[in-house]
Amino acid sequence: MKAVASKTDPGNFFEDFKLGQKLVHATPRTVTAGDVALYTALYGTRFALFSSEAFAKACGFRHAAVDPLIAFHIVFGKTVPDISLNAVANLGYAEGRFHKLITDGMTLSAESEVIGLKENSNRKTGVVYVRTTGMDEFGETVLSYVRWVMVRKRDPDAEVGEQHVPELAAVVPAERLIVPPGLDFSRYDWALAGAPHAFEDYEIGEKIDHVDGMAVEEAEHQMATRLWQNTAKVHFNQFERAKDPSGRRLVYGGVVISTAKALSFNGLQNAGLILAINGGRHVAPFFAGGTVFAWSQVLDKADLGAVGALRLRLVATMDAPCAEFPDKNGEGVYHSGVILDFDYWAAVPKRG
């Protein structure tokens, strides 16, 4: 008996998207302690604020705090079946803000709006820009961000409707950063956090080599991607990578982000709480078996009153310690070893 696919969803191709299109993504997801444990196991994160409920309560929270990147991954995963199931690659992020503290038991859902479309000159693919909003079970915004992704066309000859490339802010202004209510670093335990470096100790322009490297294996990246219910074919289906001579499956870019962020603990022990994502670019593809290294640069500082905020550029490299080469050459071209360039704001305790 011949199988039929009339009830299955092949995902959207580039020509299926329209400017202004609204997408309500399926499958709400409740954040649990299991997510936190697996996140730690997969990426090796060590920030005290997310490791200890007692530490979080001493910082003014009523409950254990959950790393904002967990919410980012969950919400991102919700969007994949509608936006990037047929993606070639996820390209970048901008204008990301975390509106609420993420806690165990919070249920997240997501909606997106198509804000930009641009067909590529080869007519086989195009870039889709979406603004995604993640909400809790009460419909309140938890996070929002823009991302753009290269998506295949179903038919290279298909005509594409109105196109537009949105203008996106290079940085979330410091005055728009949202400090979680109750956050109080007045009793911050520097020893338990792992380092004495306060807001005042960081200088604009300063670079920090995080020294350590972490390999990502095939089973690890696929487990991480499944954890966030990311169904993009390029991460699992070797036949989708048939044009790649290696036949390797592409590692989800979020794996690189969280691995590099975990590595940043060595030097930025007190900057675990991300307040905003200014921008991000997956500079080159990353495949299993590679080792991720990372370094950071302080781009800016802002005094938010109760806490300080550092604008940080996190650069991840593959198979080469960061001290061995610059990120770009004299012509502004990335070194071949760079795989991620990620710009974000993080809350940091002040000494005063």
Side-chain angles (χ1 to χ4, degrees):
M1 184 176 180
K2 185 178 179 180
V4 295
S6 60
K7 292 183 172 63
T8 57
D9 185 358
N12 289 315
F13 291 85
F14 180 74
E15 61 263 44
D16 298 324
F17 293 99
K18 307 297 178 187
L19 286 175
Q21 181 179 0
K22 302 291 179 66
L23 300 165
V24 177
H25 307 296
T27 321
R29 171 80 177 270
T30 300
V31 181
T32 70
D35 294 308
V36 176
L38 282 171
Y39 188 89
T40 303
L42 290 165
Y43 309 118
T45 186
R46 291 185 285 163
F47 296 101
L49 190 63
F50 310 125
S51 298
S52 165
E53 183 173 358
F55 192 96
K57 287 183 175 180
C59 292
F61 296 143
R62 291 184 297 172
H63 307 286
V66 173
D67 193 314
L69 284 177
I70 288 180
F72 175 79
H73 290 309
I74 289 175
V75 170
F76 186 104
K78 302 298 97 192
T79 72
V80 168
D82 300 310
I83 295 170
S84 48
L85 192 64
N86 297 302
V88 177
N90 190 55
L91 300 177
Y93 317 91
E95 299 183 1
R97 289 201 303 159
F98 292 93
H99 297 250
K100 294 184 67 175
L101 181 71
I102 318 304
T103 57
D104 185 358
M106 180 180 285
T107 297
L108 299 172
S109 59
E111 297 180 357
S112 297
E113 179 182 359
V114 179
I115 62 171
L117 293 169
K118 178 62 176 176
E119 185 179 25
N120 289 327
S121 59
N122 62 13
R123 302 207 66 193
K124 296 179 180 180
T125 58
V127 179
V128 181
Y129 297 78
V130 295
R131 187 179 300 277
T132 296
T133 302
M135 299 158 291
D136 65 13
E137 61 269 35
F138 305 108
E140 297 179 354
T141 299
V142 174
L143 73 153
S144 59
Y145 62 91
V146 173
R147 75 162 169 135
W148 49 104
V149 56
M150 188 184 301
V151 180
R152 293 184 179 89
K153 291 181 69 177
R154 180 188 293 104
D155 176 6
D157 295 324
E159 293 300 321
V160 176
E162 182 184 1
Q163 300 185 55
H164 170 70
V165 176
E167 292 186 11
L168 301 171
V171 61
V172 176
E175 59 269 21
R176 296 196 66 208
L177 299 177
I178 300 171
V179 177
L183 182 62
D184 179 6
F185 284 148
S186 62
R187 293 190 296 154
Y188 196 82
D189 192 319
W190 305 94
L192 293 181
H197 313 307
F199 174 71
E200 295 86 349
D201 299 323
Y202 291 94
E203 300 294 334
I204 294 174
E206 177 182 1
K207 286 188 176 182
I208 303 166
D209 184 347
H210 301 302
V211 181
D212 307 307
M214 187 178 297
V216 178
E217 301 299 343
E218 192 79 72
E220 294 172 331
H221 87 82
Q222 292 197 56
M223 180 180 291
T225 309
R226 292 189 190 100
L227 174 64
W228 313 123
Q229 299 174 321
N230 180 336
T231 56
K233 299 172 185 178
V234 292
H235 304 314
F236 301 108
N237 188 338
Q238 69 190 55
F239 300 105
E240 291 293 321
R241 299 292 299 168
K243 294 181 180 180
D244 185 327
S246 71
R248 296 174 296 178
R249 289 162 291 282
L250 185 69
V251 174
Y252 161 46
V255 171
V256 177
I257 293 173
S258 282
T259 301
K261 184 65 170 66
L263 290 171
S264 77
F265 176 86
N266 192 352
L268 288 168
Q269 292 89 335
N270 302 311
L273 181 61
I274 296 178
L275 300 177
I277 297 172
N278 299 306
R281 179 181 176 188
H282 296 291
V283 177
F286 179 68
F287 299 98
T291 297
V292 177
F293 293 87
W295 60 265
S296 294
Q297 182 178 19
V298 180
L299 299 180
D300 201 358
K301 299 174 67 174
D303 190 332
L304 304 182
V307 302
L310 298 179
R311 182 185 169 196
L312 298 163
R313 179 185 178 214
L314 175 63
V315 176
T317 60
M318 178 178 66
D319 294 342
C322 301
E324 292 187 3
F325 58 83
D327 57 319
K328 297 180 181 180
N329 64 20
E331 298 177 351
V333 177
Y334 282 100
H335 185 282
S336 61
V338 177
I339 53 177
L340 174 72
D341 197 338
F342 192 69
D343 181 337
Y344 67 100
W345 285 104
V348 182
K350 297 190 296 185
R351 181 169 289 107

